[in-house]
Amino acid sequence: MGRGAAARKYDLLTALGAHALSQDRTEQVLALRLMTLITARYNWGRDELAVGVREIARLWSVDERTVKREMAKLRARGWVELTRAGARGRVAEYALGIERLMQDTRPGWERVGPDFACRLDAGEADDKVVPLPIRGEVPPPDLSGGSEWALAQALLHAEEPGLYASWLRALTRDSRAGGRLVLAAPSRFHAAYVQTHLSARLLAACRDVDGGVSEVTVIAAG
C-alpha cells in the first residue's frame, strides 16, 4: 500500500466486511479469515504478509490442511499474491491483491454509504495517476486578483506543479465567511477527491498566506 496505507486500511477492511455480510456462510468465513490475517500479520507499509502455515492454523483455529486449501482459494481469486515461495527455514511471503479486492467488493460500497463509495473511487483514481509535466511546463496562477486563494495557489504551484496542474488549478474561490473558505471544483468527483486527499495541504497553504483561514471546504460548482 505504501504512502497513505494507514488511512486506507480501514476502508479496505470495511469493504471486505460489507461484502462478506451479503454472502453465504462459506464466503463469510473465507473473508473473516483473510480479515483476521490482514489485521494480525499484514505489513501495510511494505505490502507484505510473511507468515507460516502453522501460525495461520493456530490463528484460524483449524488444521494445516485447511490453511493450505483456504490460501489456495484466496490466491485463485487474486485476493492474495505469492511473492516468494516458502523454503527450508523461510516462510512464504504474500502481497494483497488490492485491485482485485476492490473490484470484487465494489457492489457493497454503497451499502456502507455514498461518502464511502466516493472515497474509494477517488482512492482508485489516485493509484492510477499519470505522471504530469515538469515545473517549466505548468503555467503559474494569475495573481492579479490578490485573493488568499490566488496566493495559496502560487505556493502550491511552486511546491508541486504536477499536483497543482492535476487537481488544484481548476479550483475557484466560491465564498469566504469568517475563517471558512469555500472553493468550487468542476465536478462532484473532483471536489470529493480534493476534500478527501488534499484538504490538509490546502488549509496549510491558505494559512501561510492568511492566518485567518481556519477551514477550507471544497464543493462541486453549480
Side-chain angles (χ1 to χ4, degrees), residues 99-169:
E99 185 174 350
R100 185 59 182 270
L101 278 165
M102 291 294 97
Q103 290 175 356
D104 290 351
T105 61
R106 183 182 290 275
W109 295 358
E110 286 290 344
R111 291 196 295 274
V112 180
D115 59 324
F116 179 82
C118 187
R119 185 164 67 249
L120 263 63
D121 278 329
E124 287 198 317
D126 189 34
D127 288 339
K128 300 172 182 176
V129 169
V130 175
L132 291 165
I134 61 175
R135 181 187 299 267
E137 297 176 334
V138 180
D142 179 8
L143 300 181
S144 60
S147 69
E148 75 285 271
W149 175 234
L151 296 173
Q153 280 184 304
L155 288 180
L156 293 163
H157 171 270
E159 291 172 356
E160 199 165 348
L163 182 70
Y164 164 80
S166 182
W167 296 105
L168 308 178
R169 178 166 51 184

Side-chain angles (χ1 to χ4, degrees), residues 20-166:
L21 290 170
S22 68
Q23 305 298 312
D24 60 25
R25 185 178 181 280
T26 299
E27 183 75 3
Q28 290 174 354
V29 170
L30 182 64
L32 178 59
R33 285 171 173 163
L34 177 58
M35 292 169 69
T36 304
L37 191 58
I38 289 172
T39 304
R41 290 290 180 262
Y42 183 67
N43 186 314
W44 293 93
R46 294 201 302 264
D47 186 18
E48 179 182 272
L49 176 64
V51 59
V53 171
R54 184 176 302 175
E55 188 177 0
I56 298 175
R58 184 170 60 249
L59 179 65
W60 287 354
S61 298
V62 298
D63 56 33
E64 293 183 17
R65 179 179 297 180
T66 299
V67 170
K68 292 177 181 178
R69 183 177 65 248
E70 296 290 85
M71 291 301 291
K73 288 181 183 178
L74 293 171
R75 288 177 61 189
R77 290 183 178 207
W79 287 8
V80 297
E81 301 167 358
L82 182 67
T83 57
R84 189 170 76 171
R88 184 184 297 273
R90 187 184 70 196
V91 300
E93 295 181 5
Y94 301 89
L96 283 183
I98 303 294
E99 185 174 350
R100 185 59 182 270
L101 278 165
M102 291 294 97
Q103 290 175 356
D104 290 351
T105 61
R106 183 182 290 275
W109 295 358
E110 286 290 344
R111 291 196 295 274
V112 180
D115 59 324
F116 179 82
C118 187
R119 185 164 67 249
L120 263 63
D121 278 329
E124 287 198 317
D126 189 34
D127 288 339
K128 300 172 182 176
V129 169
V130 175
L132 291 165
I134 61 175
R135 181 187 299 267
E137 297 176 334
V138 180
D142 179 8
L143 300 181
S144 60
S147 69
E148 75 285 271
W149 175 234
L151 296 173
Q153 280 184 304
L155 288 180
L156 293 163
H157 171 270
E159 291 172 356
E160 199 165 348
L163 182 70
Y164 164 80
S166 182

